[in-house]
Amino acid sequence: MNIVIPIKQVPETSDVKMDKEKGTMIRDGVQTVINPLDLYALEAGIELKEKFGGKITVITMGPPSAVKALKEAVSMGCDDAILLSDKQFAGSDTWATSYTLAEAIKEIKDYDLVVAGERATDGDTGQVGPGIAAWLDLPLATYVSSIESVEDNSIVVERLVEEGYQKLKLPLPSLLTVVKEISNPRLPTLRGKKRARATEVPVYTAESMDLDSDSLGLNGSPTKVVKIDFPKVTRGGVKVAADGESGAGEAVDRLIDFLKEKELI
Ligand SMILES: Cc1cc2nc3c(=O)[nH]c(=O)nc-3n(C[C@H](O)[C@H](O)[C@H](O)COP(=O)(O)OP(=O)(O)OC[C@H]3O[C@@H](n4cnc5c(N)ncnc54)[C@H](O)[C@@H]3O)c2cc1C
């Protein structure tokens, strides 16, 4: 069973900053990680490979530094990695992102399943997985919480829905977006890290995929950010540092004084 897993490199949540003028996220100089929800997609894919054989190709669209996320996925157990990176991809909304990823998946050709995360912790739309399915005309199951069985040409999955669970049988190839319940992500192994270091990551560009620039990046993005607003902080907080045993005691005293002052105790 050959599987493609699109993963996104995202800023560590506490680092997210926005460019008010452009309406985009400031990504330069920010620490990044694999989108935490994509780790569940990676683990689900690796477990399927362990059971049924085949290989996993992990892909991401992002800046050259996103190769770090791909290598981490290889060190967990993925086989091949592809980076989609080109200035023309910059400013992509979910429409252009899913289009570009779908075009790269077409180039992979021999695949049975695409497994995406439920959503990314930065953009947070949950649209890219379903978008890829639409561009590739693949059957889609979202919010998949378990994979029940795989037969020759079909897969049976359980989806998490508001009322409980829904069982679906999909023909292969198809696309799943998965929720946390599906797996417990493993840590990279030393052997995996060595393999990742030796893995060559090809870079696909607009030119190498023969894509029309009108469909890419900002040009190909129907979403227009009109204005960005930040939530107003309505309550100020007081931080009490508690270093060592005496510090902890002082912090507790201050907390008790505060609660008394507010007549809460
Ligand atoms: C006008 C505009 C400009 C923007 N400019 C940029 C920009 O310059 N750079 C930028 O990074 N974002 C940009 N964005 C944000 C961009 O739309 C989203 O980050 C991106 O389309 C993914 O959407 P999401 O984060 O909501 O992913 P979701 O749909 O929440 O992600 C779901 C799943 O899709 C897969 N996935 C998502 N994104 C990728 C990816 N890039 N590669 C591989 N798999 C992926 C993962 O499996 C993920 O778990 C811009 C948005 C707008 C509206």
Side-chain angles (χ1 to χ4, degrees):
M1 173 172 239
N2 292 336
I3 304 170
V4 179
I5 306 182
I7 62 167
K8 188 177 184 191
Q9 196 179 42
V10 297
E12 293 217 80
T13 315
S14 55
D15 275 337
V16 171
K17 294 184 189 81
M18 298 298 292
D19 182 325
K20 261 192 155 179
E21 298 294 313
K22 292 190 199 149
T24 54
M25 210 169 279
I26 300 168
R27 291 167 194 270
D28 292 342
V30 173
Q31 279 288 101
T32 53
V33 290
I34 294 182
N35 172 39
L37 296 174
D38 292 349
L39 297 174
Y40 299 90
L42 288 168
E43 178 62 32
I46 295 165
E47 285 174 14
L48 282 174
K49 182 184 83 163
E50 284 169 349
K51 236 175 170 172
F52 301 103
K55 69 170 184 173
I56 300 176
T57 306
V58 63
I59 63 172
T60 193
M61 184 179 102
S65 58
V67 79
K68 178 179 156 235
L70 293 171
K71 292 235 171 188
E72 194 178 330
V74 171
S75 69
M76 282 174 73
C78 297
D79 302 275
D80 296 335
I82 300 170
L83 173 65
L84 318 186
S85 198
D86 192 312
K87 287 224 163 70
Q88 290 193 62
F89 301 156
S92 297
D93 66 0
T94 54
W95 178 281
T97 302
S98 52
Y99 170 74
T100 312
L101 288 165
E103 287 297 316
I105 295 171
K106 275 187 196 164
E107 302 232 333
I108 297 170
K109 290 189 185 96
D110 181 20
Y111 63 90
D112 305 293
L113 191 66
V114 181
V115 187
E118 177 200 345
R119 63 194 160 80
T121 53
D122 56 352
D124 203 26
T125 64
Q127 292 173 0
V128 171
I132 298 172
W135 289 112
L136 295 174
D137 204 14
L138 291 178
L140 163 73
T142 50
Y143 304 107
V144 171
S145 55
S146 76
I147 295 170
E148 301 271 291
S149 62
V150 179
E151 283 152 32
D152 278 350
N153 283 315
S154 63
I155 186 163
V156 178
V157 299
E158 222 170 44
R159 302 179 62 218
L160 196 58
V161 290
E162 273 184 28
E163 305 79 30
Y165 293 92
Q166 183 185 49
K167 205 177 258 197
L168 285 183
K169 185 174 184 177
L170 295 95
L172 295 173
S174 53
L175 188 146
L176 314 177
T177 73
V178 302
V179 293
K180 279 182 177 179
E181 284 78 355
I182 196 158
S183 63
N184 287 312
R186 68 191 67 189
L187 292 172
T189 59
L190 190 60
R191 205 151 143 229
K193 282 185 182 172
K194 275 189 189 158
R195 201 161 41 81
R197 226 174 290 142
T199 300
E200 294 283 331
V201 179
V203 180
Y204 286 13
T205 61
E207 198 186 350
S208 76
M209 291 194 281
D210 199 18
L211 300 181
D212 173 14
S213 61
D214 285 347
S215 314
L216 305 173
L218 214 49
N219 290 340
S221 296
T223 315
K224 301 288 167 243
V225 179
V226 180
K227 189 176 167 224
I228 286 203
D229 261 327
F230 296 90
K232 288 192 177 59
V233 179
T234 49
R235 279 182 297 179
V238 180
K239 239 186 197 171
V240 182
D243 298 327
E245 234 171 75
S246 60
E250 271 171 41
V252 171
D253 289 344
R254 281 191 60 187
L255 187 62
I256 290 170
D257 289 346
F258 175 79
L259 292 173
K260 279 185 183 158
E261 206 179 291
K262 299 280 172 198
E263 295 179 359
L264 291 170
I265 54 171

